[in-house]
Amino acid sequence: KRAMDVSVAGVVLLVFSPLLLIVALIIKRQSPGSVFFTQYRRGASNTTFRIFKFRTMFSEMCGDAITPQSGSDPRVTSFGRFLRKSSIDELPQLWNVLRGDMSLVGPRPEMPFIVEDYDDMQRMRLDVKPGITGLWQVSEARKAPIHENVDYDLYYIENQSIFLDITIFIMTLGTMMRLRSTH
């Protein structure tokens, strides 16, 4: 799994480096502040790490708060809406994969203040490395908060395999295509 994570993340970062540079320039031009949004998240064994994303909100409005749910949220920049819709804002997390903080596939990492309220069943999500995508993200349940859909993560944890990872990865690409075509 680690070899696949490193190989795929490295190739995608290399191939998409021109796109990443263009995105960084547009973010910088559209609003002042850092190109990247970083935030502490909890990962495997409840370790804390800093997650990287392209910044999609105005820098003074970024922070530890629940993710904007509305397409018209005033905290999100116009280019940020495009980045979220296309999931391009997630690409810097490939750096987290290379560092070993995350995997390509696994439960999504949560903010510490949410993890602190986990019950015993939800805490089981912390038994594996978090992922950029996962079973929850390719399900219809993705419209509800992650911590309310622990069953998807527990199923993944109990049935982990390279085949399941590849299946979820392919389903993620399909989900991204469907979401783009419906907006």
Side-chain angles (χ1 to χ4, degrees):
K1 181 174 172 97
R2 180 73 181 137
M4 185 173 80
D5 283 345
V6 170
S7 300
V8 172
V11 167
V12 171
L13 281 171
L14 186 62
V15 169
F16 286 99
S17 58
L19 171 67
L20 300 175
L21 180 60
I22 291 168
V23 168
L25 292 171
I26 294 171
I27 291 170
K28 200 69 175 155
R29 186 157 193 221
Q30 189 176 57
S31 71
S34 173
V35 167
F36 298 105
F37 169 73
T38 64
Q39 186 178 60
Y40 286 107
R41 297 289 177 97
R42 293 283 172 86
S45 303
N46 205 17
T47 57
T48 302
F49 69 96
R50 189 179 291 268
I51 196 170
F52 296 92
K53 293 183 173 191
F54 278 124
R55 182 172 55 84
T56 59
M57 296 193 292
F58 294 99
S59 58
E60 67 275 5
M61 296 180 180
C62 293
D64 286 343
I66 302 300
T67 302
Q69 298 297 313
S70 163
S72 61
D73 190 303
R75 298 176 294 171
V76 180
T77 66
S78 58
F79 187 59
R81 283 182 190 47
F82 165 75
L83 293 176
R84 285 171 179 250
K85 183 178 167 187
S86 64
S87 298
I88 291 172
D89 64 319
E90 308 280 346
L91 286 176
Q93 290 174 52
L94 292 168
W95 178 248
N96 288 108
V97 172
L98 289 178
R99 288 174 35 138
D101 300 325
M102 294 177 68
S103 181
L104 292 172
V105 179
R108 286 297 296 161
E110 273 286 15
M111 292 176 275
F113 78 91
I114 292 175
V115 171
E116 303 215 352
D117 290 334
Y118 272 6
D119 61 29
D120 289 340
M121 188 166 70
Q122 290 170 320
R123 198 165 291 283
M124 292 170 68
R125 295 177 75 247
L126 305 173
D127 289 346
V128 298
K129 267 187 197 175
I132 295 175
T133 189
L135 196 53
W136 171 78
Q137 288 90 322
V138 297
S139 73
E140 283 300 312
R142 72 181 171 279
K143 296 174 184 125
I146 300 167
H147 54 277
E148 292 179 10
N149 288 287
V150 72
D151 293 344
Y152 291 92
D153 292 333
L154 296 181
Y155 178 87
Y156 173 78
I157 291 166
E158 293 169 6
N159 297 283
Q160 282 184 82
S161 70
I162 295 298
F163 177 75
L164 182 57
D165 281 7
I166 292 169
T167 302
I168 292 170
F169 195 75
I170 291 169
M171 290 174 71
T172 299
L173 296 175
T175 299
M176 288 170 57
M177 298 300 178
R178 274 195 311 280
L179 288 176
R180 273 192 288 246
S181 67
T182 60
H183 289 284

